[in-house]
């Protein structure tokens, strides 16, 4: 396996749409460190987000470096080129040291028949009865089964190899972290399917450190998990078992861990995840994506005056363009349009009413998950406001930053690792 940049045991992907909350986000990591929970911060932003905002990858690196310098952070930190593909990776290479390789478009595409047959021949250990420690029942696989599963994922893994080598040629393999995203598929991967995927990744000589598989249930943007918690815990635990097995079997990096995408605000999952992680003494990577953007809106609403005015305007534009904004995220949102208040109604809200509807407090009778999800996917509205929005963030930096820090530290980090 080629050399690679190591990733800490627990890492936290922090999205920052407008690159203004780096210090507030890092403050959450500092608070966690003081309690003995060491999260490595990873600032992530995708090509799509840069396109919507009109920003460049250099801005994400600059914001991360500024936060680290100002707060005196002594542990590693990283900048993630989130969900990159071959056609988008080049603009990120100078500025990122973490690359989430998105090969969703290649899942299900048939590989070359010769390469498929060669894969099955190269891996006789995948055929027959395989017993994986900590999975109750051994599983049985025929060559036909291995070729069927490889037929679904092998082409995607091969594409990941192409992208990985593109980055490695430009940066050197020891200078970045590789994640492979396999979560955008129709059904959760079973243990043998995940093992086949990891065998294929090892064949491509990708020193993968995080992998994002598909889990059961709904991982909607910015709201809690919807699904069977018992089934999720079983899948999460079995995935950890497969990873531990594959590390030994295929010489994959010992730091290889699960990555939970759309992890923001999946509060109900943190207890089962913590139990599983403790069982295996395993690490995890969590991506929180747009949570910070929503905390900016909450902070501006709390500030009142011009802050409340601008967030009301943002919602008014969002509700007017609801179908346009929701279309790109249709698979990861569930919005009940009947529960979306009118722009006129929101215009009459107080700061407290706006905050109650948006803040993810399921005990608050004013909380509105449809309202929250719509604003989650409507960040381009703030981008259209340009300097006016950014000026508001600077003016109300203290209250916005407090919300950003408390959200990450209190609602995410403490429950996940400390059980608090």
């Amino acid at each position: 396996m080629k050399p690679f940049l190591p990733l800490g045991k627990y890492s936290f992907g922090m999205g920052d749409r407008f690159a203004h909350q780096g210090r507030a986000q890092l403050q959450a990591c500092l608070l966690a460190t003081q309690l003995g929970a060491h999260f490595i911060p990873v600032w992530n932003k995708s090509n799509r987000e840069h396109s919507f905002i009109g920003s460049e990858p250099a801005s994400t690196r600059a914001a991360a470096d500024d936060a680290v310098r100002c707060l005196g952070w002594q542990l590693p930190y990283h900048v993630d080129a989130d969900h990159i593909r071959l056609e988008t990776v080049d603009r990120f290479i100078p500025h990122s040291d973490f690359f989430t390789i998105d090969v969703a478009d290649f899942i299900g595409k048939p590989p070359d028949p010769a390469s498929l047959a060669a894969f099955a021949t190269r891996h006789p250990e995948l055929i027959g009865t395989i017993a994986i420690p900590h999975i109750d029942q051994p599983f049985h696989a025929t060559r036909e089964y291995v070729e069927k599963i490889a037929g679904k994922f092998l082409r995607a893994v091969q594409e990941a190899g192409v992208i990985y080598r593109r980055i490695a040629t430009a940066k050197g393999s020891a200078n970045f972290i590789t994640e492979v995203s396999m979560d955008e598929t129709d059904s959760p991967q079973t243990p043998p399917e995940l093992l086949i995927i990891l065998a294929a990744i090892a064949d491509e000589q990708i020193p993968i450190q995080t992998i994002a598989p598909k889990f059961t249930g709904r991982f909607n943007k910015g709201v809690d998990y919807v699904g069977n918690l018992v089934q999720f815990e079983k899948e999460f635990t079995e995935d950890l078992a497969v990873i531990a097995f594959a590390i030994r079997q295929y010489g994959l990096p010992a730091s290889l861990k699960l990555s939970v995408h759309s992890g923001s605000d999946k509060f109900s999952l943190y207890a089962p995840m913590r139990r599983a992680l403790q069982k295996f003494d395993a690490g995890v990577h969590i991506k929180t994506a747009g949570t910070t953007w929503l905390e900016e809106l909450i902070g501006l609403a709390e500030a009142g005056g011009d802050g409340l005015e601008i967030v009301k305007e943002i919602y008014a534009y969002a509700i007017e363009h609801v179908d346009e904004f929701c279309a790109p995220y249709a698979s990861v949102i569930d919005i009940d349009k009947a529960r979306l208040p009118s722009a006129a109604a929101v215009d009459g809200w107080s700061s407290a009413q706006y905050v109650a509807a948006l803040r993810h407090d399921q005990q608050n009778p004013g909380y509105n998950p449809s309202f929250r999800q719509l604003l989650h996917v409507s960040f381009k509205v703030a981008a259209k406001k340009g300097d006016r929005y950014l000026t508001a963030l600077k003016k109300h930096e203290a209250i916005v930053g407090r919300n950003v820090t408390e959200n990450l530290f209190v609602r995410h980090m403490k429950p996940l690792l400390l059980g608090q």
Side-chain angles (χ1 to χ4, degrees):
M1 195 63 64
K2 293 183 178 181
F4 56 88
L5 182 65
L7 176 63
K9 185 174 183 178
Y10 303 108
S11 48
F12 210 87
M14 304 183 297
D16 188 1
R17 302 288 195 243
F18 299 95
H20 273 61
Q21 305 308 324
R23 299 179 199 180
Q25 292 169 323
L26 189 57
Q27 181 64 30
C29 294
L30 282 167
L31 292 172
T33 298
Q34 292 168 9
L35 296 180
H38 301 288
F39 284 99
I40 299 303
V42 181
W43 279 275
N44 50 267
K45 195 168 181 179
S46 69
N47 189 71
R48 178 166 64 178
E49 290 162 354
H50 280 297
S51 298
F52 285 169
I53 298 297
S55 56
E56 292 293 332
S59 65
T60 308
R61 166 60 65 182
D65 290 348
D66 173 76
V68 166
R69 182 175 57 255
C70 290
L71 273 67
W73 179 253
Q74 298 297 313
L75 295 175
Y77 67 101
H78 305 287
V79 174
D80 178 11
D82 197 14
H83 285 285
I84 50 90
R85 304 179 184 187
L86 189 60
E87 65 270 21
T88 58
V89 66
D90 287 350
R91 70 187 298 211
F92 290 90
I93 287 175
H95 312 291
S96 299
D97 60 354
F98 188 122
F99 292 81
T100 299
I101 298 176
D102 184 347
V103 290
D105 288 349
F106 292 86
I107 295 175
K109 286 190 174 182
D112 173 69
S115 68
L116 181 59
F119 175 84
T121 300
R122 193 163 53 246
H123 291 287
E125 79 284 356
L126 294 172
I127 300 170
T129 300
I130 304 174
I132 295 180
H134 304 291
I135 294 182
D136 292 339
Q137 298 295 324
F139 58 84
H140 310 275
T142 64
R143 181 183 175 103
E144 290 74 20
Y145 174 81
V146 171
E147 290 191 354
K148 176 185 176 183
I149 301 306
K152 181 177 182 180
F153 293 105
L154 186 58
R155 181 69 186 86
V157 173
Q158 291 170 339
E159 178 68 10
V162 171
I163 299 171
Y164 166 77
R165 288 185 286 276
R166 176 74 158 263
I167 303 164
T169 298
K171 290 186 77 76
S173 65
N175 297 314
F176 67 97
I177 293 158
T178 304
E179 171 171 314
V180 177
S181 171
M182 286 285 180
D183 60 325
E184 295 189 20
T185 184
D186 50 358
S187 58
Q189 289 94 13
T190 63
E193 288 175 339
L194 182 58
L195 185 60
I196 289 169
I197 290 169
L198 291 173
I201 289 173
D203 285 352
E204 290 290 327
Q205 290 291 298
I206 302 172
I208 182 175
Q209 288 192 72
T210 67
I211 185 166
K214 170 78 170 181
F215 296 106
T216 193
R218 294 282 294 179
F219 283 75
N220 291 332
K221 294 289 186 182
V223 293
D224 206 350
Y225 172 79
V226 178
N228 185 319
L229 289 173
V230 173
Q231 179 62 25
F232 171 84
E233 185 167 2
K234 179 176 183 293
E235 290 176 8
F236 191 84
T237 302
E238 290 182 347
D239 284 349
L240 292 177
V242 169
I243 285 174
F245 183 84
I247 288 171
R248 297 189 300 270
Q249 181 74 34
Y250 300 116
L252 292 166
S255 54
L256 175 59
K257 59 180 67 68
L258 287 174
S259 178
V260 181
H261 283 196
S262 294
S264 52
D265 291 25
K266 303 302 177 284
F267 303 141
S268 61
L269 296 184
Y270 286 154
M273 286 173 63
R274 188 174 65 255
R275 288 192 293 267
L277 293 171
Q278 290 173 342
K279 179 177 180 179
F280 287 87
D281 190 24
V284 70
H285 181 61
I286 301 291
K287 286 194 174 181
T288 56
T291 283
T292 291
W293 145 247
L294 294 180
E295 294 304 319
E296 286 181 341
L297 295 181
I298 289 169
L300 292 174
E302 278 192 340
D306 60 337
L308 180 59
E309 179 184 353
I310 197 169
V311 298
K312 287 179 177 181
E313 291 176 12
I314 288 171
Y315 179 74
Y317 192 95
I319 190 68
E320 185 179 344
H321 297 82
V322 58
D323 293 331
E324 172 193 341
F325 291 159
C326 290
Y329 298 95
S331 64
V332 286
I333 55 175
D334 282 318
I335 291 177
D336 180 357
K337 290 184 180 179
R339 290 208 60 200
L340 291 174
S342 67
V346 171
D347 190 52
W349 281 0
S350 65
S351 290
Q353 287 174 299
Y354 198 106
V355 170
L358 184 55
R359 179 177 283 149
H360 194 172
D361 177 3
Q362 297 179 51
Q363 306 306 312
N364 190 321
Y367 170 59
N368 186 330
S370 293
F371 180 81
R372 181 175 172 85
Q373 288 179 89
L374 175 58
L375 284 170
H376 193 292
V377 301
S378 300
F379 58 90
K380 67 168 64 175
V381 183
K384 290 178 181 292
K385 292 189 176 296
D387 287 343
R388 183 172 168 227
Y389 181 73
L390 300 180
T391 298
L393 291 182
K394 293 173 184 176
K395 178 180 178 181
H396 303 292
E397 179 179 358
I399 191 168
V400 170
R402 175 177 55 77
N403 278 281
V404 170
T405 299
E406 288 182 357
N407 174 60
L408 293 178
F409 176 60
V410 175
R411 300 189 187 99
H412 294 276
M413 295 177 176
K414 289 178 70 176
L416 178 59
L417 284 193
L418 301 172
Q420 299 178 1

